[in-house]
Amino acid sequence: MQILALCIVFFGELLAITSEVFFSKWKYMYAMVFLMFIGGCMLLGGYWLAYKHMNSLWPIYIATITAILILEPIVIYVVTGETPGLGARIGFVLGALGCFAALGIS
């Protein structure tokens, strides 16, 4: 159940991030609303399920932050074709190191 909860949160983040990118570009407004609704419901359900089976919110917080860190650059590139600058690349590497450090320590 813990793996299922993490998968639900990961997919919910994917839908929410895609919706946010659509919103920033003012594209596909109906799809954006639908994706955010479904993604938000999945996030709420995933958090509830994870807390029910893990009795702690910290693992799910770390999973959420890691999902955002991994998925957002991919979605932005796929949807818009934009590539990150040097500062964004450095921030990504530092953020990834921080997430992995938190996962390794907890």
Side-chain angles (χ1 to χ4, degrees), residues 8-43:
I8 290 171
V9 167
F10 197 82
F11 192 67
E13 284 294 347
L14 175 65
L15 295 178
I17 290 167
T18 304
S19 175
E20 292 166 1
V21 172
F22 284 162
F23 183 76
S24 69
K25 293 293 185 176
W26 287 99
K27 293 173 126 179
Y28 313 113
M29 291 305 286
Y30 292 114
M32 183 258 321
V33 171
F34 179 74
L35 288 175
M36 186 56 84
F37 176 76
I38 298 300
C41 289
M42 292 181 79
L43 286 170

mmCIF file of all heavy atoms in Angstrom, residues 8-43:
data_model
loop_
_atom_site.group_PDB
_atom_site.id
_atom_site.type_symbol
_atom_site.label_atom_id
_atom_site.label_comp_id
_atom_site.label_asym_id
_atom_site.label_seq_id
_atom_site.Cartn_x
_atom_site.Cartn_y
_atom_site.Cartn_z
ATOM 1 N N ILE A 8 0.557 7.029 -6.553
ATOM 2 C CA ILE A 8 -0.582 7.936 -6.724
ATOM 3 C C ILE A 8 -0.127 9.379 -6.577
ATOM 4 O O ILE A 8 -0.498 10.249 -7.370
ATOM 5 C CB ILE A 8 -1.708 7.590 -5.723
ATOM 6 C CG1 ILE A 8 -2.360 6.261 -6.097
ATOM 7 C CG2 ILE A 8 -2.756 8.702 -5.676
ATOM 8 C CD1 ILE A 8 -3.322 5.738 -5.048
ATOM 9 N N VAL A 9 0.694 9.646 -5.568
ATOM 10 C CA VAL A 9 1.209 11.010 -5.366
ATOM 11 C C VAL A 9 2.089 11.422 -6.539
ATOM 12 O O VAL A 9 1.983 12.547 -7.038
ATOM 13 C CB VAL A 9 1.972 11.106 -4.027
ATOM 14 C CG1 VAL A 9 2.765 12.386 -3.941
ATOM 15 C CG2 VAL A 9 1.006 10.999 -2.866
ATOM 16 N N PHE A 10 2.940 10.535 -7.010
ATOM 17 C CA PHE A 10 3.828 10.842 -8.129
ATOM 18 C C PHE A 10 3.019 11.199 -9.374
ATOM 19 O O PHE A 10 3.287 12.198 -10.044
ATOM 20 C CB PHE A 10 4.746 9.647 -8.391
ATOM 21 C CG PHE A 10 5.949 9.962 -9.211
ATOM 22 C CD1 PHE A 10 7.070 10.529 -8.625
ATOM 23 C CD2 PHE A 10 5.983 9.676 -10.565
ATOM 24 C CE1 PHE A 10 8.205 10.816 -9.381
ATOM 25 C CE2 PHE A 10 7.107 9.963 -11.328
ATOM 26 C CZ PHE A 10 8.212 10.535 -10.737
ATOM 27 N N PHE A 11 1.991 10.398 -9.687
ATOM 28 C CA PHE A 11 1.169 10.663 -10.869
ATOM 29 C C PHE A 11 0.328 11.914 -10.680
ATOM 30 O O PHE A 11 0.116 12.682 -11.623
ATOM 31 C CB PHE A 11 0.290 9.453 -11.190
ATOM 32 C CG PHE A 11 -0.359 9.532 -12.540
ATOM 33 C CD1 PHE A 11 0.392 9.479 -13.700
ATOM 34 C CD2 PHE A 11 -1.727 9.687 -12.653
ATOM 35 C CE1 PHE A 11 -0.199 9.569 -14.944
ATOM 36 C CE2 PHE A 11 -2.334 9.772 -13.889
ATOM 37 C CZ PHE A 11 -1.566 9.722 -15.042
ATOM 38 N N GLY A 12 -0.162 12.143 -9.460
ATOM 39 C CA GLY A 12 -0.905 13.370 -9.168
ATOM 40 C C GLY A 12 -0.040 14.601 -9.374
ATOM 41 O O GLY A 12 -0.505 15.615 -9.906
ATOM 42 N N GLU A 13 1.215 14.523 -8.964
ATOM 43 C CA GLU A 13 2.142 15.634 -9.192
ATOM 44 C C GLU A 13 2.369 15.850 -10.685
ATOM 45 O O GLU A 13 2.450 16.986 -11.136
ATOM 46 C CB GLU A 13 3.484 15.384 -8.491
ATOM 47 C CG GLU A 13 3.470 15.591 -7.021
ATOM 48 C CD GLU A 13 3.239 17.022 -6.575
ATOM 49 O OE1 GLU A 13 3.326 17.968 -7.403
ATOM 50 O OE2 GLU A 13 2.961 17.195 -5.391
ATOM 51 N N LEU A 14 2.481 14.772 -11.434
ATOM 52 C CA LEU A 14 2.655 14.892 -12.883
ATOM 53 C C LEU A 14 1.491 15.653 -13.504
ATOM 54 O O LEU A 14 1.681 16.568 -14.307
ATOM 55 C CB LEU A 14 2.798 13.512 -13.523
ATOM 56 C CG LEU A 14 2.862 13.491 -15.048
ATOM 57 C CD1 LEU A 14 4.118 14.183 -15.538
ATOM 58 C CD2 LEU A 14 2.803 12.063 -15.561
ATOM 59 N N LEU A 15 0.267 15.302 -13.132
ATOM 60 C CA LEU A 15 -0.906 15.987 -13.676
ATOM 61 C C LEU A 15 -0.960 17.446 -13.240
ATOM 62 O O LEU A 15 -1.271 18.331 -14.041
ATOM 63 C CB LEU A 15 -2.178 15.256 -13.256
ATOM 64 C CG LEU A 15 -2.365 13.847 -13.810
ATOM 65 C CD1 LEU A 15 -3.646 13.230 -13.274
ATOM 66 C CD2 LEU A 15 -2.368 13.858 -15.323
ATOM 67 N N ALA A 16 -0.653 17.708 -11.968
ATOM 68 C CA ALA A 16 -0.690 19.081 -11.460
ATOM 69 C C ALA A 16 0.375 19.945 -12.143
ATOM 70 O O ALA A 16 0.096 21.089 -12.523
ATOM 71 C CB ALA A 16 -0.497 19.084 -9.950
ATOM 72 N N ILE A 17 1.568 19.413 -12.322
ATOM 73 C CA ILE A 17 2.640 20.168 -12.973
ATOM 74 C C ILE A 17 2.282 20.454 -14.425
ATOM 75 O O ILE A 17 2.488 21.565 -14.921
ATOM 76 C CB ILE A 17 3.982 19.413 -12.870
ATOM 77 C CG1 ILE A 17 4.473 19.424 -11.423
ATOM 78 C CG2 ILE A 17 5.030 20.011 -13.804
ATOM 79 C CD1 ILE A 17 5.601 18.451 -11.156
ATOM 80 N N THR A 18 1.745 19.462 -15.114
ATOM 81 C CA THR A 18 1.335 19.671 -16.505
ATOM 82 C C THR A 18 0.281 20.762 -16.585
ATOM 83 O O THR A 18 0.333 21.631 -17.461
ATOM 84 C CB THR A 18 0.806 18.355 -17.105
ATOM 85 O OG1 THR A 18 1.810 17.350 -16.972
ATOM 86 C CG2 THR A 18 0.448 18.529 -18.566
ATOM 87 N N SER A 19 -0.667 20.740 -15.669
ATOM 88 C CA SER A 19 -1.694 21.773 -15.628
ATOM 89 C C SER A 19 -1.091 23.151 -15.382
ATOM 90 O O SER A 19 -1.491 24.135 -16.007
ATOM 91 C CB SER A 19 -2.705 21.433 -14.535
ATOM 92 O OG SER A 19 -3.640 22.463 -14.384
ATOM 93 N N GLU A 20 -0.126 23.240 -14.487
ATOM 94 C CA GLU A 20 0.520 24.519 -14.199
ATOM 95 C C GLU A 20 1.258 25.065 -15.420
ATOM 96 O O GLU A 20 1.230 26.272 -15.687
ATOM 97 C CB GLU A 20 1.504 24.360 -13.043
ATOM 98 C CG GLU A 20 0.837 24.074 -11.717
ATOM 99 C CD GLU A 20 1.810 23.581 -10.664
ATOM 100 O OE1 GLU A 20 3.026 23.470 -10.952
ATOM 101 O OE2 GLU A 20 1.354 23.308 -9.545
ATOM 102 N N VAL A 21 1.919 24.186 -16.151
ATOM 103 C CA VAL A 21 2.638 24.630 -17.351
ATOM 104 C C VAL A 21 1.651 25.102 -18.408
ATOM 105 O O VAL A 21 1.864 26.135 -19.056
ATOM 106 C CB VAL A 21 3.563 23.513 -17.895
ATOM 107 C CG1 VAL A 21 4.162 23.901 -19.229
ATOM 108 C CG2 VAL A 21 4.653 23.208 -16.886
ATOM 109 N N PHE A 22 0.549 24.376 -18.584
ATOM 110 C CA PHE A 22 -0.490 24.829 -19.513
ATOM 111 C C PHE A 22 -1.015 26.198 -19.101
ATOM 112 O O PHE A 22 -1.233 27.071 -19.930
ATOM 113 C CB PHE A 22 -1.657 23.841 -19.566
ATOM 114 C CG PHE A 22 -1.380 22.592 -20.356
ATOM 115 C CD1 PHE A 22 -2.174 21.475 -20.176
ATOM 116 C CD2 PHE A 22 -0.352 22.509 -21.274
ATOM 117 C CE1 PHE A 22 -1.955 20.312 -20.891
ATOM 118 C CE2 PHE A 22 -0.111 21.352 -21.996
ATOM 119 C CZ PHE A 22 -0.920 20.262 -21.804
ATOM 120 N N PHE A 23 -1.228 26.401 -17.800
ATOM 121 C CA PHE A 23 -1.748 27.677 -17.312
ATOM 122 C C PHE A 23 -0.759 28.806 -17.584
ATOM 123 O O PHE A 23 -1.161 29.903 -17.970
ATOM 124 C CB PHE A 23 -2.055 27.597 -15.821
ATOM 125 C CG PHE A 23 -2.654 28.859 -15.272
ATOM 126 C CD1 PHE A 23 -3.983 29.168 -15.524
ATOM 127 C CD2 PHE A 23 -1.901 29.732 -14.517
ATOM 128 C CE1 PHE A 23 -4.546 30.323 -15.034
ATOM 129 C CE2 PHE A 23 -2.450 30.899 -14.023
ATOM 130 C CZ PHE A 23 -3.782 31.195 -14.279
ATOM 131 N N SER A 24 0.532 28.542 -17.388
ATOM 132 C CA SER A 24 1.527 29.591 -17.601
ATOM 133 C C SER A 24 1.592 30.018 -19.064
ATOM 134 O O SER A 24 1.938 31.160 -19.364
ATOM 135 C CB SER A 24 2.906 29.135 -17.129
ATOM 136 O OG SER A 24 3.414 28.129 -17.968
ATOM 137 N N LYS A 25 1.249 29.127 -19.960
ATOM 138 C CA LYS A 25 1.266 29.436 -21.393
ATOM 139 C C LYS A 25 -0.124 29.793 -21.926
ATOM 140 O O LYS A 25 -0.270 30.059 -23.106
ATOM 141 C CB LYS A 25 1.807 28.231 -22.192
ATOM 142 C CG LYS A 25 3.259 27.943 -21.939
ATOM 143 C CD LYS A 25 4.105 29.067 -22.467
ATOM 144 C CE LYS A 25 5.566 28.729 -22.330
ATOM 145 N NZ LYS A 25 6.405 29.755 -22.918
ATOM 146 N N TRP A 26 -1.145 29.785 -21.053
ATOM 147 C CA TRP A 26 -2.539 30.036 -21.432
ATOM 148 C C TRP A 26 -2.968 29.135 -22.588
ATOM 149 O O TRP A 26 -3.535 29.581 -23.577
ATOM 150 C CB TRP A 26 -2.755 31.500 -21.788
ATOM 151 C CG TRP A 26 -2.738 32.368 -20.595
ATOM 152 C CD1 TRP A 26 -1.696 33.098 -20.158
ATOM 153 C CD2 TRP A 26 -3.797 32.560 -19.639
ATOM 154 N NE1 TRP A 26 -2.032 33.737 -18.996
ATOM 155 C CE2 TRP A 26 -3.317 33.438 -18.655
ATOM 156 C CE3 TRP A 26 -5.098 32.073 -19.535
ATOM 157 C CZ2 TRP A 26 -4.088 33.841 -17.581
ATOM 158 C CZ3 TRP A 26 -5.864 32.479 -18.464
ATOM 159 C CH2 TRP A 26 -5.366 33.358 -17.505
ATOM 160 N N LYS A 27 -2.639 27.855 -22.455
ATOM 161 C CA LYS A 27 -3.004 26.861 -23.458
ATOM 162 C C LYS A 27 -3.994 25.875 -22.860
ATOM 163 O O LYS A 27 -3.916 25.559 -21.683
ATOM 164 C CB LYS A 27 -1.771 26.066 -23.902
ATOM 165 C CG LYS A 27 -0.741 26.836 -24.664
ATOM 166 C CD LYS A 27 0.463 25.960 -24.853
ATOM 167 C CE LYS A 27 0.847 25.876 -26.291
ATOM 168 N NZ LYS A 27 2.028 25.057 -26.512
ATOM 169 N N TYR A 28 -4.865 25.382 -23.663
ATOM 170 C CA TYR A 28 -5.730 24.259 -23.301
ATOM 171 C C TYR A 28 -6.423 24.469 -21.947
ATOM 172 O O TYR A 28 -6.267 23.685 -21.023
ATOM 173 C CB TYR A 28 -4.942 22.949 -23.273
ATOM 174 C CG TYR A 28 -4.062 22.740 -24.469
ATOM 175 C CD1 TYR A 28 -2.679 22.730 -24.343
ATOM 176 C CD2 TYR A 28 -4.612 22.557 -25.730
ATOM 177 C CE1 TYR A 28 -1.867 22.537 -25.446
ATOM 178 C CE2 TYR A 28 -3.811 22.361 -26.834
ATOM 179 C CZ TYR A 28 -2.435 22.349 -26.684
ATOM 180 O OH TYR A 28 -1.644 22.151 -27.763
ATOM 181 N N MET A 29 -7.199 25.531 -21.830
ATOM 182 C CA MET A 29 -7.777 25.900 -20.536
ATOM 183 C C MET A 29 -8.657 24.785 -19.944
ATOM 184 O O MET A 29 -8.592 24.520 -18.752
ATOM 185 C CB MET A 29 -8.575 27.194 -20.654
ATOM 186 C CG MET A 29 -7.697 28.409 -20.904
ATOM 187 S SD MET A 29 -6.395 28.624 -19.670
ATOM 188 C CE MET A 29 -7.337 29.194 -18.300
ATOM 189 N N TYR A 30 -9.487 24.144 -20.744
ATOM 190 C CA TYR A 30 -10.341 23.079 -20.205
ATOM 191 C C TYR A 30 -9.512 21.878 -19.763
ATOM 192 O O TYR A 30 -9.782 21.271 -18.730
ATOM 193 C CB TYR A 30 -11.397 22.650 -21.228
ATOM 194 C CG TYR A 30 -12.412 23.737 -21.486
ATOM 195 C CD1 TYR A 30 -12.504 24.350 -22.731
ATOM 196 C CD2 TYR A 30 -13.262 24.162 -20.475
ATOM 197 C CE1 TYR A 30 -13.425 25.349 -22.965
ATOM 198 C CE2 TYR A 30 -14.190 25.163 -20.700
ATOM 199 C CZ TYR A 30 -14.267 25.753 -21.953
ATOM 200 O OH TYR A 30 -15.169 26.744 -22.175
ATOM 201 N N ALA A 31 -8.495 21.556 -20.529
ATOM 202 C CA ALA A 31 -7.614 20.451 -20.146
ATOM 203 C C ALA A 31 -6.874 20.795 -18.861
ATOM 204 O O ALA A 31 -6.698 19.942 -17.992
ATOM 205 C CB ALA A 31 -6.617 20.158 -21.264
ATOM 206 N N MET A 32 -6.479 22.071 -18.714
ATOM 207 C CA MET A 32 -5.766 22.499 -17.516
ATOM 208 C C MET A 32 -6.634 22.326 -16.276
ATOM 209 O O MET A 32 -6.182 21.788 -15.268
ATOM 210 C CB MET A 32 -5.343 23.962 -17.665
ATOM 211 C CG MET A 32 -4.534 24.520 -16.530
ATOM 212 S SD MET A 32 -5.385 25.575 -15.347
ATOM 213 C CE MET A 32 -6.474 26.549 -16.283
ATOM 214 N N VAL A 33 -7.879 22.736 -16.349
ATOM 215 C CA VAL A 33 -8.788 22.608 -15.204
ATOM 216 C C VAL A 33 -9.013 21.131 -14.883
ATOM 217 O O VAL A 33 -8.974 20.717 -13.721
ATOM 218 C CB VAL A 33 -10.119 23.334 -15.491
ATOM 219 C CG1 VAL A 33 -11.145 23.029 -14.420
ATOM 220 C CG2 VAL A 33 -9.892 24.831 -15.597
ATOM 221 N N PHE A 34 -9.228 20.322 -15.905
ATOM 222 C CA PHE A 34 -9.452 18.890 -15.698
ATOM 223 C C PHE A 34 -8.227 18.216 -15.087
ATOM 224 O O PHE A 34 -8.349 17.448 -14.122
ATOM 225 C CB PHE A 34 -9.821 18.227 -17.030
ATOM 226 C CG PHE A 34 -10.048 16.755 -16.930
ATOM 227 C CD1 PHE A 34 -11.197 16.259 -16.338
ATOM 228 C CD2 PHE A 34 -9.106 15.865 -17.415
ATOM 229 C CE1 PHE A 34 -11.402 14.894 -16.237
ATOM 230 C CE2 PHE A 34 -9.304 14.503 -17.325
ATOM 231 C CZ PHE A 34 -10.463 14.011 -16.730
ATOM 232 N N LEU A 35 -7.057 18.514 -15.626
ATOM 233 C CA LEU A 35 -5.831 17.906 -15.102
ATOM 234 C C LEU A 35 -5.580 18.303 -13.649
ATOM 235 O O LEU A 35 -5.195 17.473 -12.828
ATOM 236 C CB LEU A 35 -4.625 18.305 -15.949
ATOM 237 C CG LEU A 35 -4.522 17.684 -17.330
ATOM 238 C CD1 LEU A 35 -3.337 18.280 -18.082
ATOM 239 C CD2 LEU A 35 -4.397 16.185 -17.239
ATOM 240 N N MET A 36 -5.798 19.574 -13.318
ATOM 241 C CA MET A 36 -5.565 20.024 -11.951
ATOM 242 C C MET A 36 -6.573 19.388 -10.996
ATOM 243 O O MET A 36 -6.225 19.020 -9.874
ATOM 244 C CB MET A 36 -5.630 21.546 -11.859
ATOM 245 C CG MET A 36 -5.253 22.066 -10.487
ATOM 246 S SD MET A 36 -3.624 21.535 -9.892
ATOM 247 C CE MET A 36 -2.567 22.731 -10.655
ATOM 248 N N PHE A 37 -7.808 19.239 -11.433
ATOM 249 C CA PHE A 37 -8.817 18.606 -10.577
ATOM 250 C C PHE A 37 -8.439 17.158 -10.288
ATOM 251 O O PHE A 37 -8.422 16.721 -9.134
ATOM 252 C CB PHE A 37 -10.199 18.680 -11.238
ATOM 253 C CG PHE A 37 -11.261 17.966 -10.457
ATOM 254 C CD1 PHE A 37 -11.795 18.534 -9.316
ATOM 255 C CD2 PHE A 37 -11.709 16.711 -10.857
ATOM 256 C CE1 PHE A 37 -12.765 17.876 -8.579
ATOM 257 C CE2 PHE A 37 -12.676 16.049 -10.136
ATOM 258 C CZ PHE A 37 -13.210 16.627 -8.986
ATOM 259 N N ILE A 38 -8.129 16.405 -11.331
ATOM 260 C CA ILE A 38 -7.771 14.998 -11.152
ATOM 261 C C ILE A 38 -6.461 14.879 -10.362
ATOM 262 O O ILE A 38 -6.346 14.066 -9.438
ATOM 263 C CB ILE A 38 -7.643 14.282 -12.517
ATOM 264 C CG1 ILE A 38 -8.975 14.311 -13.260
ATOM 265 C CG2 ILE A 38 -7.153 12.844 -12.346
ATOM 266 C CD1 ILE A 38 -10.118 13.631 -12.530
ATOM 267 N N GLY A 39 -5.468 15.707 -10.704
ATOM 268 C CA GLY A 39 -4.194 15.676 -9.990
ATOM 269 C C GLY A 39 -4.357 16.019 -8.516
ATOM 270 O O GLY A 39 -3.759 15.372 -7.654
ATOM 271 N N GLY A 40 -5.163 17.032 -8.221
ATOM 272 C CA GLY A 40 -5.404 17.411 -6.828
ATOM 273 C C GLY A 40 -6.087 16.307 -6.046
ATOM 274 O O GLY A 40 -5.730 16.024 -4.897
ATOM 275 N N CYS A 41 -7.076 15.665 -6.658
ATOM 276 C CA CYS A 41 -7.754 14.542 -5.996
ATOM 277 C C CYS A 41 -6.781 13.387 -5.743
ATOM 278 O O CYS A 41 -6.813 12.765 -4.678
ATOM 279 C CB CYS A 41 -8.935 14.065 -6.837
ATOM 280 S SG CYS A 41 -10.319 15.212 -6.863
ATOM 281 N N MET A 42 -5.913 13.127 -6.714
ATOM 282 C CA MET A 42 -4.931 12.060 -6.532
ATOM 283 C C MET A 42 -3.938 12.403 -5.427
ATOM 284 O O MET A 42 -3.563 11.539 -4.631
ATOM 285 C CB MET A 42 -4.198 11.776 -7.845
ATOM 286 C CG MET A 42 -5.086 11.151 -8.892
ATOM 287 S SD MET A 42 -4.205 10.795 -10.402
ATOM 288 C CE MET A 42 -3.378 9.289 -9.908
ATOM 289 N N LEU A 43 -3.531 13.663 -5.352
ATOM 290 C CA LEU A 43 -2.612 14.074 -4.293
ATOM 291 C C LEU A 43 -3.258 13.927 -2.920
ATOM 292 O O LEU A 43 -2.640 13.406 -1.984
ATOM 293 C CB LEU A 43 -2.153 15.512 -4.510
ATOM 294 C CG LEU A 43 -1.142 15.720 -5.635
ATOM 295 C CD1 LEU A 43 -0.943 17.202 -5.909
ATOM 296 C CD2 LEU A 43 0.166 15.056 -5.298
#
